[in-house]
Amino acid sequence: TLHSIVGPWAANAQSYKADIHAENKTAYLGIVLLSLAIVGIRQHKSRFWLGTAIFFALLALGPQLQIAGRLTGIPLPAALLYQFFFIRISRFPVRFIVIALLALSVLSAIGMRRLLSILRSHPWNRAALQMVLTTLVIGLLVLDNFTAPFQSTGIYIPPAYAEFGQEKDEYAIFEAPIYWCTRANYLLYQTVHQKPIVGGYLSRDLAYPVIEQIPMMRMFAYAESSYDIIAQEPAKIAPSILSYFNIRYLLLHSDCGGLRYNTLEKIALAAAGGIQPRQVRIPDRSFAIYTIAQPQKPMPFLGIGAGWSPAERLAGGRVTRKLMTQAEIVVYSANAFAGTLQLNLEATQPTILKLAIPHSASEQSIAVQRGLQYIEIPLMLPAGEQHISCLLYTSPSPRDGLLSRMPSSA
């Protein structure tokens, strides 16, 4: 669609791809390249390259045939290869077209040599004819792939990032929300300020414990409500969470709705100790810079570790997660502390809950009765990240488990 002459027509013809990342599902082989390759097919040395081009072109079509963007259900050779994990992670089958283009390039060279050999047998001015043909083919190849002016995007980096870079202290910056449409910008800005950031950009979303374990961090990352079984008030705990991870600046961007979710601004303001943010406006968007207040007495806070089912909101607004066999509760604290972990539990029938608490002499076994109950567990933990393992000693059946509601620490 970048072609200066036929680009607009090609873009219109592929309008059905507007919502499916067309740049990763479209390839242009070229009329001149294909024409020369057809001429070269008749040569004996072209068989290998012809087979290679056909094979990888079929792989580029994907596991099943698509017509006008619609899956037909007709399997293609790639369906066999996509049974292997190391092939499946390539995501976009069209990337196989690179090898097909390489084979077509060799075929076109063979075809060009055949045309030149035909002209050598011409009785009149063979060198001149070969020169004309070579010039004509090069000109057609340039025209077939002509892109001018090449579309480009201007880069603007707000001066605030250079100011961060001038600060000698080591600290992290949390830019929110973290979406595919914003993460690349955050990495660009990082080249200027050179500070650690939360998130970053990868071609695949990987598990990110800081975001997935802590509901408040998840709320900022995705700019949406993040209900969970942790009962700690986000605005109250925000300064402790952000300062624990050495986050000095929280930046709320208008991109992808970060400034449309008002709750985020309220929590961010609380994290900044009530000090209003610095507003930065740039073309087409804006963001607010909150300087995180350092709490005099950092509070311990909780995270949801591995082993829990997804959070579920029940009637009446209650939130639960199910513990089937073993799960973890993560306790973060900037200082050593003594407190109480409070659990609201509901069991389908009597069972035993064993807790392995770090730096504790032995496991704690708690008899859990059928129905709702409230349990308090004393804690005495050092500073840092501590994982409390929760194990169901007996489980009545694979379908039954233990529902946990709103654990908190005091």
Side-chain angles (χ1 to χ4, degrees), residues 176-194:
I178 301 174
Y179 287 114
W180 66 267
C181 59
T182 59
R183 290 180 294 185
N185 291 339
Y186 301 160
L187 285 185
L188 172 64
Y189 301 152
Q190 190 184 33
T191 62
V192 175
H193 63 67
Q194 297 289 306

Side-chain angles (χ1 to χ4, degrees), residues 68-333:
R70 297 181 180 180
L71 297 174
T72 63
I74 301 174
L76 294 174
L80 295 176
L81 283 180
Y82 270 71
Q83 300 302 314
F84 299 98
F85 173 75
F86 62 90
I87 295 293
R88 191 165 61 250
I89 62 175
S90 64
R91 295 196 302 164
F92 296 111
V94 74
R95 291 169 179 171
F96 286 112
I97 205 66
V98 173
I99 308 301
L101 282 170
L102 176 63
L104 285 174
S105 298
V106 177
L107 281 174
S108 67
I110 294 173
M112 185 65 181
R113 185 177 64 177
R114 182 166 183 265
L115 292 177
L116 291 174
S117 65
I118 293 174
L119 290 180
R120 289 194 192 98
S121 62
H122 197 282
W124 181 79
N125 205 350
R126 291 171 294 181
L129 289 176
Q130 290 177 348
M131 181 63 70
V132 170
L133 175 63
T134 302
T135 303
L136 178 62
V137 169
I138 292 175
L140 290 174
L141 282 170
V142 171
L143 182 63
D144 199 17
N145 297 276
F146 189 64
T147 303
F150 189 82
Q151 296 181 7
S152 60
T153 301
I155 294 177
Y156 175 77
I157 300 179
Y161 291 100
E163 296 173 12
F164 297 153
Q166 293 171 0
E167 298 181 12
K168 302 302 182 182
D169 299 340
E170 278 297 320
Y171 59 83
I173 296 174
F174 186 9
E175 304 204 55
I178 301 174
Y179 287 114
W180 66 267
C181 59
T182 59
R183 290 180 294 185
N185 291 339
Y186 301 160
L187 285 185
L188 172 64
Y189 301 152
Q190 190 184 33
T191 62
V192 175
H193 63 67
Q194 297 289 306
K195 305 293 184 184
I197 62 174
V198 179
Y201 185 84
L202 295 173
S203 58
R204 295 165 186 82
D205 290 328
L206 302 178
Y208 201 99
V210 171
I211 292 175
E212 299 306 323
Q213 290 179 0
I214 304 171
M216 190 214 75
M217 297 292 284
R218 196 162 60 241
M219 186 183 302
F220 277 102
Y222 306 127
E224 62 185 17
S225 174
S226 183
Y227 57 84
D228 216 314
I229 58 176
I230 295 177
Q232 293 176 303
E233 183 64 33
K236 184 178 180 181
I237 205 71
S240 297
I241 294 177
L242 296 174
S243 62
Y244 177 87
F245 293 110
N246 196 26
I247 296 171
R248 178 174 296 182
Y249 296 109
L250 170 63
L251 279 60
L252 280 187
H253 289 259
S254 61
D255 289 351
C256 300
L259 295 179
R260 291 199 300 267
Y261 184 40
N262 295 333
T263 303
L264 292 185
E265 294 185 88
K266 295 178 182 177
I267 298 174
L269 190 62
I275 299 176
Q276 292 295 323
R278 172 185 173 186
Q279 300 290 340
V280 179
R281 299 190 182 278
I282 54 180
D284 301 325
R285 59 188 187 273
S286 63
F287 62 92
I289 303 175
Y290 293 85
T291 302
I292 304 306
Q294 298 298 312
Q296 293 183 352
K297 294 182 178 180
M299 301 174 60
F301 55 95
L302 298 175
I304 301 297
W308 297 93
S309 70
E312 180 182 0
R313 189 188 292 274
L314 304 179
R318 295 183 302 169
V319 180
T320 67
R321 284 181 183 258
K322 182 173 287 189
L323 189 164
M324 298 305 299
T325 53
Q326 185 173 1
E328 288 186 340
I329 298 173
V330 186
V331 182
Y332 297 89
S333 180

